Amino acid sequence: MFLRPTTLNALMKKAYKSGLAVARTEDDWMYIAGSYWEISVKKEFIPKRTLGDIIALIGELPGPGERFTATKEGNQLEMELPLQVKDEPFHENDTLTITDVILVGTSGTIQRLLQDEATGNIYAVNNVFVSIVDNALIDKDRGEYSVTEPFFNPAYGILWKNNVCKLRAHFRSDDRNYKVLDNLKGVDITPEVPE
């Protein structure tokens, strides 16, 4: 799994305060979601530490085909809601380049700017969804492959995915820096590749 366990645990703890969605598909993919992000991972690729973090936080794992929202008040079973990240809105050719530009957004949120090189459009995403990705954690021996650039859809956000894990996060709307984002549109802010 290409996600840093400590960062994922921090995201889960934060989401738990208002409701952490947890589900499991019949074919054993785990689904974990906060209000503006969601993850699907093949259960066999989830590190034991992360499974322990989930159980310590919510007390149990859902059974196959089950979904619930967990809070400190308990776990509430949910019906007919997603059991995994849907990647249909994302297309293989629609990727964003991660830039080195970081902005401090509304409420002090650290945002990373990503750019669509084809159009010059700039998108802001919480930097945690760039820093959580770590290809050093993938299990090549079991066939997991690396991730490179995130896929994107302007309405659905970004999607990091490989054959065992998917992470989708919404873009940030930033009232504080909207002028900066408008002025950067069309300016190439992608990192230079050394020759």
Side-chain angles (χ1 to χ4, degrees):
M1 180 174 85
F2 60 79
L3 305 175
R4 294 179 197 268
T6 52
T7 308
L8 177 55
N9 190 31
L11 282 170
M12 291 189 301
K13 284 181 176 179
K14 185 174 180 183
Y16 180 74
K17 293 175 183 176
S18 59
L20 177 68
V22 183
R24 190 165 160 192
T25 64
E26 296 289 344
D27 58 349
D28 234 15
W29 280 71
M30 293 293 299
Y31 173 84
I32 307 161
S35 60
Y36 54 93
W37 58 271
E38 59 183 348
I39 295 167
S40 287
V41 184
K42 282 188 179 180
K43 187 173 178 279
E44 66 190 89
F45 284 85
I46 299 174
K48 289 179 183 174
R49 174 184 175 181
T50 301
L51 280 174
D53 289 342
I54 295 168
I55 292 169
L57 190 61
I58 64 175
E60 63 181 315
L61 293 177
E66 289 183 344
R67 174 186 164 130
F68 56 77
T69 297
T71 63
K72 62 183 176 182
E73 283 81 36
N75 298 339
Q76 177 66 44
L77 194 62
E78 298 178 323
M79 306 300 282
E80 298 181 23
L81 289 171
L83 298 178
Q84 64 182 355
V85 174
K86 302 231 185 288
D87 55 5
E88 293 84 12
F90 299 90
H91 304 286
E92 297 291 322
N93 296 329
D94 295 334
T95 60
L96 293 176
T97 300
I98 299 165
T99 75
D100 296 329
V101 181
I102 292 179
L103 295 176
V104 177
T106 311
S107 304
T109 304
I110 304 299
Q111 300 177 52
R112 179 71 67 103
L113 299 187
L114 295 92
Q115 187 165 35
D116 178 357
E117 289 190 51
T119 64
N121 289 341
I122 307 271
Y123 299 90
V125 68
N126 188 320
N127 191 53
V128 73
F129 299 115
V130 174
S131 65
I132 194 173
V133 175
D134 187 349
N135 280 318
L137 299 171
I138 64 169
D139 192 344
K140 290 181 185 176
D141 295 338
R142 294 174 56 204
E144 184 178 3
Y145 57 80
S146 300
V147 293
T148 53
E149 295 176 330
F151 302 106
F152 84 101
N153 178 308
Y156 292 93
I158 64 169
L159 175 74
W160 294 96
K161 89 175 197 177
N162 68 7
N163 54 327
V164 303
C165 184
K166 299 174 189 177
L167 162 64
R168 186 182 71 84
H170 293 286
F171 292 121
R172 299 286 302 195
S173 60
D174 188 346
D175 296 334
R176 180 176 175 183
N177 293 309
Y178 74 92
K179 287 182 183 176
V180 172
L181 296 173
D182 279 348
N183 288 327
L184 284 175
K185 184 178 177 182
V187 176
D188 182 5
I189 61 169
T190 59
E192 288 189 28
V193 179
E195 294 181 26

